Amino acid sequence: MTDSETPGSATPGSPTPAAAGPHRILELRVHGIKNTPPAEMLGVPQSELRQTQGDENGGFWWAPRSPEPDPDDPPGTLDPAVPPPDVRREAYSWGLLARYGAGPLLFIGQFFVQLAWLLLLPFGLANTAYWTRRIPDQHPGGEWRGGVGAGSLRIFALGLTLLYVCALGSISLDLGAQCLGPGAAAGAGPCPALPHAVTDFFTGPLAWRGRQLAVLSVVPIAGILLLYIVARRARTRYEAAIFDTTDQMRRGARPEGPVKPLSSEGFWQTSRVGSPTEWLHLGATFFLVALLLAWDRLFAVYGGSTDCAKLQTFVANGCALRAVEGGHWLFLLALLLGLAGLTVTIVLVGVFSDTEDSGDRPVARFLADKLRTRERSSLLLLWVGVLVYVLTLVGLAIDGDYGEGAGRGGAAPAFLGLVTAPSLILGVLVAIAISALSWRRGVPHALSIVIMAVAGTSFLIAVALGPTRLDEAARPARAAFFIIAAAAVVIELVLIALWPRLTRDPIPHRVEGWGGTGPGVIMLWALGAAMILSTLLVLGTQAWLGTGAPACGCVAPPAAALRPPIVYQNFGDVLPLIAIVLAVVAGVVFFLRTRWVPMLTTPPTRGGRRPIVSPVKQYPDGVVQRADTQDRLALKILRARRQAALFHRGEPILGLLAALLAVGFVAALAVSYTDVYRWIDSFVGPALGIIAIGVLVLIIENAITAKERPISVMWDLMCFLPRAGHPFAPPCYAERAVPELRDRVVDWLGHDLVPPAHLEPDEQLRWREEVQEQALRQERPYKVVVSAHSLGAVLAVACLFTLRPGDASRIANVGLLTYGTQLRVYFGRFFPELFGPQVLGTLPQLPPSLAQPDPWYTQVQTDQLGSPPEYPPSRATDPTLVELLTQPDNRGVAWFSLWRRTDYLGFPVNSNAPNAIDRGADEFGPPRYLIKVATHPDYPSSPQYAAALRELIERLG
């Protein structure tokens, strides 16, 4: 082999080209959130499609026979359905990657997996919250710097898991223990709906309360294991591909200095939570269940005078001393080991949030050593948790007879460990979420922790002092601690509001989601989703167990009614109030904004099928004018613009939802079960039970008729970023989609190059990788236009950042055409370090308004005046997206983006004013017998799409 033949010296001009094909340009279409089928994307019948790569869940599709131009069209007509002669049009479908459900399981498996996917929703939101934090610039090579709040968020994620443990335990251990009380054997228990076989099983050899609880404790553990298995099984199909991509990114020259997170290998590989954190969550589950079982055995009393059930009476009645004097040393040991295990787990979850400081060691070796150490410690802790749990079960089997007597009205007492545990966990999670409001706004993290610790401790003491009706002497002290807690929260909120001004923070937080409080807002959503699902599970089960008449034919005493943990009852009573307030605010906004038809600004639109209706370049004298036209077609278009503008006001409404949830959490924790709550329960309880049954029916129907996950659109939105917050979060479909897009692009650019025949297979592979990287640096005869709609633009942008060859300042031979996208308005505001101005190279975006007829009034005026908010320059040394796509020889930026005012999900990516990237699209749909207003779909059928595609090809050369 001569020097010129070595793989390392190969150049795009030296290899022998394969037989030239008829197409020079690859137009690669990527669908958005609508999950558009490939046939619709390509505009051909399904029977004419051919899948060139992929499987049943996603891949690339091509139509060998493209649509032909109409011979009767006037000369020069651009038919969007007909690709240019040298363009090969392909479609990439990824939608089922985000929506794939249970797989080929039996119906019973389908049902439980569908239920598990619904319960994974809060975990996905927690993962989204991770990426809304201020992510620091990264060091190239694979390390990962988590940034402020990374550890706290992962502790928050652990709390969500433990909250589910409490919910499942409330069903089996608490409601189950009450159902299996002294009256269960005679058929006079409080659970008429419980099957006789279940009652007979638990009132025979398992008649002791301890043995019953030992068996019932399997339910919360099995539930968490199901969530773990479902999430793990789904993501193993994705993660392998992204490792190859990071290896390719790591090869070649590395940039000097920090790089943007989206450009770093660590973003795709090291940032995710892996097996160590999964095992910590599983270990915490075993520790918590063992702790709760031991707590109940130590303090439960049948008919006794000592009440250790509630936090308010625990200290006053000397329950701690009773546990020591009771002689149940095995359970006391299990309780202490459970507490210690949970504490160590929480610490490790927070510590595992960063992977950096490799020192002098090679990064790959450092990462492998770090992972090995974490796996060993996590696995050891998991086995200790299992051992403590088994030890507790053995104790309950041997010493499970709690004593004779009956509880209230013949029913067994509640499971004591769960009387307070859900409330404590909820309180901690609320404090973390409120603290998270400050993470982006610069308030010192330690200061926020101290303030919220004071608030939480004071609130806990106030609740522990009990209702004033039980102890009038405690009223002043209780009020004082409530005031301290409220004052601490107010101080935290004031610091959040004023800290950027006090410290002269250069970042204009108004261009960030919810004024820079995005992490806390989304964490409150996650907690709200977890509490809503938990409440429906617990109260729905309670409602079902209470249906029917006792088997004995007698009437169950009123005092024997089931009583779940009070936090679920209280939150269930608060939920209707939250819904009413939110509905009233949304209704008022809808009424005020639909009283008249505004004349909203429109983008410059060239070459349409007909002139744009009622165009408005700017607002005269800064005032949004009222439409006075009587033309029916014009009114149809103007009302469609107004309708789209209503959807654009979602951000402030969702911010209000987070605030209402926070208030609801506090109310659920602070308010005792009074006569007012009993009155609310009389109609809210049955209503929630009906809702829970309705959700169950929908899950069963979905399990029978489809494989898609429930609420499929939510998975499209949540799962495009790596799983870095919660280990059981849904898998990231981008981990498969981005490598597949990248491989298709580089394969097309060099598909005419054939490696020398004498090379070994591994040498051919290395040779091809080097040639493909050179094809991204140098001009090639083959080009790629990535055409991405809506959420597909996020995948396209992520793909382009992985294409950057080494330390090059641009990508050659690749262009980008986006349409109906939310890159600037949503993703740039909610994830500034991933898709913000410093990453894309576009202008910042101000928030929408509820008060103005145009939600983007302030932004439109700012764009028209050319005075955008000043955003500090990035310290990252790698180029922005605009710089990556800037072509040499003054050919401009190889990026066009289409949008229209009638699109409820589409926005400009750079400015509302005329600029080099954004262009308007027709507001009329494809030609049909009846006129249709174009909204979010149908961009590729517009003449502007065809014109932009051709101009983009010209810019690529």
Side-chain angles (χ1 to χ4, degrees), residues 328-354:
H328 301 290
W329 297 107
L330 178 63
F331 297 103
L332 183 61
L333 176 63
L335 187 148
L336 295 176
L337 289 176
L339 282 174
L342 279 176
T343 302
V344 174
T345 301
I346 292 171
V347 172
L348 290 182
V349 165
V351 169
F352 287 0
S353 61
D354 277 337

mmCIF file of all heavy atoms in Angstrom, residues 328-354:
data_model
loop_
_atom_site.group_PDB
_atom_site.id
_atom_site.type_symbol
_atom_site.label_atom_id
_atom_site.label_comp_id
_atom_site.label_asym_id
_atom_site.label_seq_id
_atom_site.Cartn_x
_atom_site.Cartn_y
_atom_site.Cartn_z
ATOM 1 N N HIS A 328 -39.574 -4.219 70.489
ATOM 2 C CA HIS A 328 -39.548 -4.690 69.097
ATOM 3 C C HIS A 328 -38.259 -4.198 68.437
ATOM 4 O O HIS A 328 -38.258 -3.332 67.562
ATOM 5 C CB HIS A 328 -40.779 -4.186 68.338
ATOM 6 C CG HIS A 328 -42.076 -4.615 68.929
ATOM 7 N ND1 HIS A 328 -42.515 -5.922 68.896
ATOM 8 C CD2 HIS A 328 -43.028 -3.905 69.608
ATOM 9 C CE1 HIS A 328 -43.700 -6.009 69.502
ATOM 10 N NE2 HIS A 328 -44.023 -4.802 69.949
ATOM 11 N N TRP A 329 -37.153 -4.786 68.856
ATOM 12 C CA TRP A 329 -35.854 -4.291 68.409
ATOM 13 C C TRP A 329 -35.611 -4.510 66.921
ATOM 14 O O TRP A 329 -34.940 -3.709 66.259
ATOM 15 C CB TRP A 329 -34.748 -4.970 69.225
ATOM 16 C CG TRP A 329 -34.839 -4.644 70.678
ATOM 17 C CD1 TRP A 329 -35.241 -5.469 71.686
ATOM 18 C CD2 TRP A 329 -34.531 -3.383 71.277
ATOM 19 N NE1 TRP A 329 -35.221 -4.809 72.898
ATOM 20 C CE2 TRP A 329 -34.777 -3.515 72.671
ATOM 21 C CE3 TRP A 329 -34.069 -2.156 70.795
ATOM 22 C CZ2 TRP A 329 -34.587 -2.481 73.570
ATOM 23 C CZ3 TRP A 329 -33.885 -1.124 71.696
ATOM 24 C CH2 TRP A 329 -34.136 -1.283 73.048
ATOM 25 N N LEU A 330 -36.145 -5.581 66.378
ATOM 26 C CA LEU A 330 -35.954 -5.848 64.957
ATOM 27 C C LEU A 330 -36.576 -4.740 64.106
ATOM 28 O O LEU A 330 -35.968 -4.254 63.151
ATOM 29 C CB LEU A 330 -36.564 -7.202 64.602
ATOM 30 C CG LEU A 330 -36.479 -7.598 63.122
ATOM 31 C CD1 LEU A 330 -35.027 -7.736 62.688
ATOM 32 C CD2 LEU A 330 -37.224 -8.914 62.886
ATOM 33 N N PHE A 331 -37.766 -4.302 64.492
ATOM 34 C CA PHE A 331 -38.448 -3.254 63.715
ATOM 35 C C PHE A 331 -37.819 -1.891 63.966
ATOM 36 O O PHE A 331 -37.785 -1.046 63.059
ATOM 37 C CB PHE A 331 -39.938 -3.236 64.066
ATOM 38 C CG PHE A 331 -40.635 -4.509 63.711
ATOM 39 C CD1 PHE A 331 -40.948 -5.442 64.684
ATOM 40 C CD2 PHE A 331 -40.944 -4.797 62.387
ATOM 41 C CE1 PHE A 331 -41.573 -6.629 64.367
ATOM 42 C CE2 PHE A 331 -41.573 -5.990 62.055
ATOM 43 C CZ PHE A 331 -41.886 -6.912 63.042
ATOM 44 N N LEU A 332 -37.328 -1.676 65.165
ATOM 45 C CA LEU A 332 -36.614 -0.428 65.421
ATOM 46 C C LEU A 332 -35.344 -0.356 64.583
ATOM 47 O O LEU A 332 -35.010 0.695 64.021
ATOM 48 C CB LEU A 332 -36.277 -0.328 66.917
ATOM 49 C CG LEU A 332 -35.588 0.965 67.370
ATOM 50 C CD1 LEU A 332 -36.473 2.170 67.086
ATOM 51 C CD2 LEU A 332 -35.239 0.891 68.855
ATOM 52 N N LEU A 333 -34.647 -1.507 64.451
ATOM 53 C CA LEU A 333 -33.453 -1.551 63.601
ATOM 54 C C LEU A 333 -33.823 -1.309 62.136
ATOM 55 O O LEU A 333 -33.136 -0.567 61.422
ATOM 56 C CB LEU A 333 -32.770 -2.908 63.754
ATOM 57 C CG LEU A 333 -31.550 -3.166 62.859
ATOM 58 C CD1 LEU A 333 -30.435 -2.183 63.181
ATOM 59 C CD2 LEU A 333 -31.066 -4.607 63.004
ATOM 60 N N ALA A 334 -34.913 -1.926 61.679
ATOM 61 C CA ALA A 334 -35.344 -1.728 60.297
ATOM 62 C C ALA A 334 -35.709 -0.268 60.050
ATOM 63 O O ALA A 334 -35.399 0.286 58.983
ATOM 64 C CB ALA A 334 -36.534 -2.633 59.983
ATOM 65 N N LEU A 335 -36.345 0.362 61.025
ATOM 66 C CA LEU A 335 -36.705 1.778 60.867
ATOM 67 C C LEU A 335 -35.465 2.649 60.753
ATOM 68 O O LEU A 335 -35.381 3.521 59.874
ATOM 69 C CB LEU A 335 -37.572 2.220 62.053
ATOM 70 C CG LEU A 335 -38.196 3.607 62.002
ATOM 71 C CD1 LEU A 335 -39.546 3.611 62.725
ATOM 72 C CD2 LEU A 335 -37.288 4.649 62.666
ATOM 73 N N LEU A 336 -34.480 2.411 61.622
ATOM 74 C CA LEU A 336 -33.259 3.217 61.582
ATOM 75 C C LEU A 336 -32.467 2.965 60.298
ATOM 76 O O LEU A 336 -31.932 3.904 59.694
ATOM 77 C CB LEU A 336 -32.401 2.913 62.811
ATOM 78 C CG LEU A 336 -33.017 3.308 64.161
ATOM 79 C CD1 LEU A 336 -32.111 2.873 65.316
ATOM 80 C CD2 LEU A 336 -33.277 4.800 64.222
ATOM 81 N N LEU A 337 -32.395 1.707 59.861
ATOM 82 C CA LEU A 337 -31.691 1.400 58.614
ATOM 83 C C LEU A 337 -32.415 2.012 57.415
ATOM 84 O O LEU A 337 -31.780 2.492 56.466
ATOM 85 C CB LEU A 337 -31.575 -0.114 58.440
ATOM 86 C CG LEU A 337 -30.602 -0.834 59.378
ATOM 87 C CD1 LEU A 337 -30.671 -2.342 59.164
ATOM 88 C CD2 LEU A 337 -29.172 -0.337 59.156
ATOM 89 N N GLY A 338 -33.744 2.013 57.451
ATOM 90 C CA GLY A 338 -34.497 2.637 56.371
ATOM 91 C C GLY A 338 -34.242 4.128 56.284
ATOM 92 O O GLY A 338 -34.038 4.670 55.188
ATOM 93 N N LEU A 339 -34.234 4.789 57.441
ATOM 94 C CA LEU A 339 -33.938 6.230 57.461
ATOM 95 C C LEU A 339 -32.526 6.508 56.962
ATOM 96 O O LEU A 339 -32.304 7.415 56.151
ATOM 97 C CB LEU A 339 -34.114 6.778 58.873
ATOM 98 C CG LEU A 339 -35.547 7.030 59.351
ATOM 99 C CD1 LEU A 339 -35.551 7.434 60.812
ATOM 100 C CD2 LEU A 339 -36.212 8.113 58.497
ATOM 101 N N ALA A 340 -31.566 5.725 57.430
ATOM 102 C CA ALA A 340 -30.183 5.924 57.008
ATOM 103 C C ALA A 340 -30.019 5.646 55.523
ATOM 104 O O ALA A 340 -29.335 6.392 54.804
ATOM 105 C CB ALA A 340 -29.263 5.017 57.826
ATOM 106 N N GLY A 341 -30.655 4.581 55.043
ATOM 107 C CA GLY A 341 -30.557 4.256 53.616
ATOM 108 C C GLY A 341 -31.155 5.345 52.743
ATOM 109 O O GLY A 341 -30.575 5.707 51.707
ATOM 110 N N LEU A 342 -32.306 5.892 53.131
ATOM 111 C CA LEU A 342 -32.906 6.978 52.362
ATOM 112 C C LEU A 342 -31.998 8.207 52.354
ATOM 113 O O LEU A 342 -31.847 8.874 51.323
ATOM 114 C CB LEU A 342 -34.275 7.340 52.943
ATOM 115 C CG LEU A 342 -35.454 6.451 52.537
ATOM 116 C CD1 LEU A 342 -36.716 6.884 53.265
ATOM 117 C CD2 LEU A 342 -35.665 6.493 51.035
ATOM 118 N N THR A 343 -31.396 8.499 53.490
ATOM 119 C CA THR A 343 -30.513 9.671 53.571
ATOM 120 C C THR A 343 -29.308 9.516 52.645
ATOM 121 O O THR A 343 -28.962 10.427 51.883
ATOM 122 C CB THR A 343 -30.041 9.875 55.018
ATOM 123 O OG1 THR A 343 -31.181 10.027 55.874
ATOM 124 C CG2 THR A 343 -29.170 11.113 55.122
ATOM 125 N N VAL A 344 -28.677 8.354 52.689
ATOM 126 C CA VAL A 344 -27.519 8.116 51.814
ATOM 127 C C VAL A 344 -27.938 8.161 50.347
ATOM 128 O O VAL A 344 -27.224 8.715 49.494
ATOM 129 C CB VAL A 344 -26.867 6.767 52.157
ATOM 130 C CG1 VAL A 344 -25.752 6.439 51.168
ATOM 131 C CG2 VAL A 344 -26.309 6.791 53.579
ATOM 132 N N THR A 345 -29.087 7.613 50.031
ATOM 133 C CA THR A 345 -29.570 7.612 48.644
ATOM 134 C C THR A 345 -29.776 9.034 48.138
ATOM 135 O O THR A 345 -29.387 9.374 47.010
ATOM 136 C CB THR A 345 -30.889 6.825 48.548
ATOM 137 O OG1 THR A 345 -30.675 5.494 48.995
ATOM 138 C CG2 THR A 345 -31.396 6.811 47.118
ATOM 139 N N ILE A 346 -30.376 9.871 48.958
ATOM 140 C CA ILE A 346 -30.619 11.266 48.555
ATOM 141 C C ILE A 346 -29.298 11.972 48.282
ATOM 142 O O ILE A 346 -29.155 12.708 47.298
ATOM 143 C CB ILE A 346 -31.428 11.987 49.639
ATOM 144 C CG1 ILE A 346 -32.849 11.420 49.709
ATOM 145 C CG2 ILE A 346 -31.461 13.495 49.384
ATOM 146 C CD1 ILE A 346 -33.654 11.916 50.886
ATOM 147 N N VAL A 347 -28.316 11.739 49.134
ATOM 148 C CA VAL A 347 -27.008 12.378 48.945
ATOM 149 C C VAL A 347 -26.367 11.915 47.641
ATOM 150 O O VAL A 347 -25.862 12.715 46.850
ATOM 151 C CB VAL A 347 -26.093 12.083 50.152
ATOM 152 C CG1 VAL A 347 -24.676 12.575 49.875
ATOM 153 C CG2 VAL A 347 -26.648 12.745 51.411
ATOM 154 N N LEU A 348 -26.400 10.618 47.383
ATOM 155 C CA LEU A 348 -25.764 10.098 46.171
ATOM 156 C C LEU A 348 -26.479 10.573 44.909
ATOM 157 O O LEU A 348 -25.835 10.859 43.897
ATOM 158 C CB LEU A 348 -25.733 8.573 46.213
ATOM 159 C CG LEU A 348 -24.788 7.933 47.239
ATOM 160 C CD1 LEU A 348 -24.830 6.418 47.140
ATOM 161 C CD2 LEU A 348 -23.365 8.433 47.040
ATOM 162 N N VAL A 349 -27.783 10.662 44.946
ATOM 163 C CA VAL A 349 -28.521 11.153 43.780
ATOM 164 C C VAL A 349 -28.078 12.563 43.429
ATOM 165 O O VAL A 349 -27.903 12.917 42.260
ATOM 166 C CB VAL A 349 -30.044 11.094 44.038
ATOM 167 C CG1 VAL A 349 -30.800 11.923 43.013
ATOM 168 C CG2 VAL A 349 -30.533 9.657 44.001
ATOM 169 N N GLY A 350 -27.880 13.391 44.450
ATOM 170 C CA GLY A 350 -27.404 14.743 44.188
ATOM 171 C C GLY A 350 -25.967 14.789 43.722
ATOM 172 O O GLY A 350 -25.628 15.565 42.814
ATOM 173 N N VAL A 351 -25.122 13.927 44.259
ATOM 174 C CA VAL A 351 -23.703 13.929 43.902
ATOM 175 C C VAL A 351 -23.502 13.447 42.471
ATOM 176 O O VAL A 351 -22.605 13.924 41.758
ATOM 177 C CB VAL A 351 -22.907 13.042 44.882
ATOM 178 C CG1 VAL A 351 -21.493 12.805 44.389
ATOM 179 C CG2 VAL A 351 -22.886 13.690 46.264
ATOM 180 N N PHE A 352 -24.341 12.522 42.000
ATOM 181 C CA PHE A 352 -24.169 11.934 40.677
ATOM 182 C C PHE A 352 -24.610 12.857 39.543
ATOM 183 O O PHE A 352 -24.625 12.437 38.386
ATOM 184 C CB PHE A 352 -24.968 10.634 40.565
ATOM 185 C CG PHE A 352 -24.376 9.491 41.339
ATOM 186 C CD1 PHE A 352 -23.204 9.654 42.073
ATOM 187 C CD2 PHE A 352 -24.980 8.246 41.355
ATOM 188 C CE1 PHE A 352 -22.661 8.612 42.804
ATOM 189 C CE2 PHE A 352 -24.449 7.198 42.071
ATOM 190 C CZ PHE A 352 -23.291 7.376 42.800
ATOM 191 N N SER A 353 -24.964 14.099 39.828
ATOM 192 C CA SER A 353 -25.509 14.984 38.793
ATOM 193 C C SER A 353 -24.439 15.567 37.882
ATOM 194 O O SER A 353 -24.760 16.090 36.817
ATOM 195 C CB SER A 353 -26.299 16.126 39.442
ATOM 196 O OG SER A 353 -25.454 16.902 40.290
ATOM 197 N N ASP A 354 -23.174 15.510 38.258
ATOM 198 C CA ASP A 354 -22.083 16.050 37.442
ATOM 199 C C ASP A 354 -21.081 14.954 37.107
ATOM 200 O O ASP A 354 -20.875 14.015 37.882
ATOM 201 C CB ASP A 354 -21.337 17.177 38.169
ATOM 202 C CG ASP A 354 -22.044 18.513 38.031
ATOM 203 O OD1 ASP A 354 -22.806 18.655 37.064
ATOM 204 O OD2 ASP A 354 -21.833 19.389 38.878
#
